[in-house]
Amino acid sequence: MLGNEKTILGIQQENFGTSTGQDWFGTGNFITSFSPVDGNEIGKVRATTKEEYELVVSKAQIAFKEWRLIPAPKRGEIVRQLGDKLRKYKEDLGKLVSYEMGKSLQEGYGEVQEMIDICDFAVGLSRQLYGLTIHSERPSHRMYEQYHPLGIVGVITAFNFPVAVWSWNTCLALVCGDSIIWKPSEKTPLCAVACQNILAEVLKENNLPEGICSLINGEKEVGEWMSKDERIPLISATGSTRMGKEVNQVVAARLGKTLLELGGNNAIIVTPDADLKITLTAAVFGAVGTAGQRCTTTRRLIVHDSIYDQVKVILKNAYEQLKIGNPLDASNHIGPLIDQDAVRNYLLALEKIKEQGGEFLVHGGVLETEEYSSGCYVKPVIAEASNELEIVQTETFAPILYLIKYSGDVLDAIDIQNGVKQGLSSAIMTTNLREAELFLSHQGSDCGIANVNIGTSGAEIGGAFGGEKETGGGRESGSDAWKIYMRRQTNTINYSTELPLAQGIQFNF
């Protein structure tokens, strides 16, 4: 599956491109996937042309009309079969995720396990697409709310979770009765091809139509086609805040719906009552896991001045023990950044830290020995800085941790934590019940995720995932996130022989 082999989970390499469920084709320009692990070419995909895009949307429309008529629990059975396929291919797909994206092998396996978990969640959900019964003010009337399939769901995903985020959207949208068109990141197209092929096996084995779930590859313009397309009522987009604002503006102009999962600038507050052992584990993994390329990466550590120097020593010692190298080797803690553009952004951030008055506790740089031949391996950095610095206010997708001192009580720390434009994930380390409850109260974190005594990364699929402010406000995965994939309808039935009007209005003739 890796290196020079010509197939990705059974798909011939020369056919990578566009898929409407069971057929693979493509005539657009080639997009080449290079592994950040060693710089080698893994394979090529065909970019979707405008003509092919129109065919994909047409097939998705046709498939939706059939798929929505299948009872939801039967749709859940298809998702259950997808989960079984993912169990079968977990090792192969996990390795591909690690090799194409650059995250550790265990994180690659974990991402596929997350797909399996969301399949299980969606299967149960297929019998729980509930509405409400409401007492009417009019006699002999029954009023209720119900949910119907929405239509085509457009899914745009980022490179850092090349398969899991697709599954969050797809599994829920499938049980809701929607069809899906997926535009993955052009940086990790082969992971998408593999997932599409796995689902295509399930569709084919159940004699289901093409177009229930389709794959389109390409650059920015492909996402623009989707965003402008009135045939796609919902666009779910994961990526940078800049990208999300562009998508939101275009979709809103046609009064479509968006589900946005955008940037994060996540902080851990460390109070004098923190357990420093678990604080260290949470902070280090949160800051360097996936080489700092998670939307939930810990980017700021806000530490009380009474323990600040102690935390500095502990952190510096921990960073000195970190191993950087091939992510397929389980003994390494940190793999590469995704590509040379990411490396340039990392280096630019280091320059800005210097210019703006930050001081390095742990210095960075690019690793350039033969072992790091791809040029994508960088050293994790710790910088002492003020929360007000422009670079601290900015999300840099790299292993850079800002160490920020606070004095006073926990509300002062919360003010610092909330003092950024992003609002995804947050955490507090404390054994003080009052501090923990304040952090979770309406006076506390303004993020979509707020944790106590665990880090900022590593969300479970049972809870809705997403954030506030410039993170976009979207919610994916668990809880009642399924409602975004359906249209809501209020129904009133009059079973009397009269027609009383609401609010006591009289209309006699």
Side-chain angles (χ1 to χ4, degrees):
M1 186 186 69
L2 305 180
N4 295 321
E5 295 187 20
K6 297 298 183 183
T7 62
I8 297 292
L9 294 175
I11 307 167
Q12 292 301 311
Q13 190 181 81
E14 60 269 20
N15 292 330
F16 294 165
T18 303
S19 170
T20 56
Q22 297 168 17
D23 291 337
W24 297 85
F25 59 91
T27 59
N29 295 330
F30 278 115
I31 298 172
T32 304
S33 176
F34 293 96
S35 171
V37 174
D38 52 23
N40 290 338
E41 177 182 329
I42 312 174
K44 300 178 186 294
V45 302
R46 288 280 193 181
T48 302
T49 65
K50 193 64 165 67
E51 292 75 18
E52 291 162 354
Y53 171 79
E54 291 298 328
L55 178 60
V56 166
V57 175
S58 175
K59 285 182 176 286
Q61 288 180 302
I62 294 169
F64 168 65
K65 291 180 179 179
E66 180 175 341
W67 181 241
R68 66 183 176 179
L69 298 179
I70 298 173
K74 298 294 185 182
R75 299 193 296 255
E77 166 60 17
I78 301 304
V79 176
R80 185 196 65 78
Q81 292 179 37
L82 173 61
D84 286 346
K85 292 283 187 184
L86 290 170
R87 289 176 172 89
K88 175 182 175 182
Y89 293 121
K90 179 178 177 179
E91 184 173 351
D92 285 344
L93 184 55
K95 286 180 180 177
L96 177 59
V97 168
S98 179
Y99 189 60
E100 187 174 34
M101 186 268 149
K103 64 176 57 178
S104 74
L105 183 58
Q106 289 304 311
E107 288 183 271
Y109 291 150
E111 187 166 345
V112 181
Q113 183 60 50
E114 198 166 312
M115 301 174 76
I116 295 167
D117 293 343
I118 198 66
C119 285
D120 290 347
F121 177 90
V123 172
L125 176 65
S126 68
R127 295 181 183 271
Q128 295 288 319
L129 301 176
Y130 54 83
L132 294 172
T133 300
I134 304 163
H135 288 280
S136 173
E137 67 181 56
R138 290 165 286 185
S140 301
H141 282 58
R142 181 165 68 89
M143 186 162 62
Y144 66 96
E145 292 182 350
Q146 63 177 332
Y147 289 83
H148 295 298
L150 186 62
I152 301 173
V153 174
V155 180
I156 301 172
T157 58
F159 73 87
N160 58 330
F161 281 86
V163 298
V165 175
W166 168 76
S167 71
W168 291 359
N169 286 274
T170 297
C171 293
L172 298 193
L174 284 176
V175 299
C176 289
D178 302 321
S179 57
I180 298 99
I181 297 176
W182 179 22
K183 188 248 179 248
S185 169
E186 61 273 21
K187 297 180 180 182
T188 51
L190 301 187
C191 288
V193 170
C195 290
Q196 179 68 15
N197 194 48
I198 292 169
L199 180 53
E201 284 186 16
V202 177
L203 298 178
K204 187 174 183 179
E205 290 165 1
N206 287 272
N207 296 313
L208 289 168
E210 293 182 329
I212 289 177
C213 187
S214 305
L215 172 67
I216 54 177
N217 276 300
E219 303 285 344
K220 180 181 179 181
E221 69 275 3
V222 177
E224 291 174 346
W225 298 338
M226 295 171 66
S227 299
K228 294 176 182 178
D229 198 330
E230 294 182 355
R231 296 167 293 181
I232 305 177
L234 172 65
I235 297 292
S236 175
T238 302
S240 68
T241 297
R242 176 196 55 76
M243 179 275 292
K245 287 181 177 179
E246 292 176 1
V247 169
N248 189 52
Q249 184 175 12
V250 172
V251 177
R254 61 176 175 87
L255 298 182
K257 296 182 178 180
T258 54
L259 192 170
L260 301 174
E261 298 289 354
L262 310 176
N265 196 344
N266 317 294
I268 297 177
I269 295 171
V270 186
T271 80
D273 291 315
D275 180 328
L276 292 186
K277 180 180 178 182
I278 63 172
T279 297
L280 176 67
T281 302
V284 175
F285 174 73
V288 307
T290 324
Q293 297 172 112
R294 290 176 177 236
C295 52
T296 54
T297 289
T298 303
R299 309 209 180 276
R300 296 175 295 144
L301 201 62
I302 303 167
V303 184
H304 193 269
D305 57 8
S306 65
I307 56 171
Y308 184 82
D309 290 338
Q310 183 182 0
V311 170
K312 279 175 58 175
V313 172
I314 293 172
L315 274 178
K316 187 172 183 180
N317 289 339
Y319 268 56
E320 288 173 353
Q321 300 173 50
L322 293 173
K323 295 180 180 179
I324 306 168
N326 188 325
L328 296 172
D329 182 345
S331 66
N332 291 321
H333 301 105
I334 308 169
L337 295 178
I338 185 66
D339 57 21
Q340 291 298 316
D341 285 340
V343 173
R344 283 189 286 271
N345 286 335
Y346 161 85
L347 293 174
L348 181 60
L350 299 189
E351 288 298 321
K352 289 184 176 180
I353 291 170
K354 294 178 187 176
E355 292 171 2
Q356 296 172 20
E359 295 185 9
F360 291 105
L361 178 65
V362 176
H363 292 264
V366 180
L367 298 170
E368 297 178 334
T369 65
E370 184 177 349
E371 181 183 357
Y372 308 112
S373 57
S374 70
C376 294
Y377 292 85
V378 301
K379 298 176 183 178
V381 171
I382 301 176
E384 297 181 83
S386 165
N387 197 62
E388 287 71 33
L389 296 186
E390 180 185 354
I391 188 60
V392 177
Q393 293 283 317
T394 305
E395 180 188 41
T396 303
F397 240 43
I400 301 173
L401 177 64
Y402 299 107
L403 197 55
I404 300 167
K405 185 187 297 186
Y406 83 95
S407 56
D409 64 16
V410 69
L411 291 175
D412 295 315
I414 292 171
D415 284 343
I416 295 172
Q417 190 243 262
N418 292 345
V420 293
K421 293 181 179 180
Q422 308 86 353
L424 179 52
S425 188
S426 58
I428 188 170
M429 295 293 171
T430 182
T431 57
N432 183 310
L433 178 62
R434 175 180 173 274
E435 290 179 335
E437 291 294 338
L438 277 172
F439 182 72
L440 301 178
S441 75
H442 60 275
Q443 303 176 72
S445 170
D446 63 1
C447 295
I449 299 170
N451 299 326
V452 176
N453 292 329
I454 63 171
T456 60
S457 59
E460 295 186 34
I461 60 94
F465 179 88
E468 300 300 321
K469 301 190 292 189
E470 286 197 353
T471 302
R475 293 296 186 275
E476 293 174 320
S477 190
S479 185
D480 65 349
W482 60 271
K483 292 180 178 179
I484 190 69
Y485 304 100
M486 305 196 81
R487 58 182 177 89
R488 186 172 180 170
Q489 186 180 78
T490 301
N491 309 111
T492 305
I493 300 171
N494 177 10
Y495 55 91
S496 74
T497 58
E498 304 293 333
L499 186 61
L501 301 177
Q503 291 86 43
I505 295 173
Q506 299 296 318
F507 186 72
N508 299 316
F509 60 93

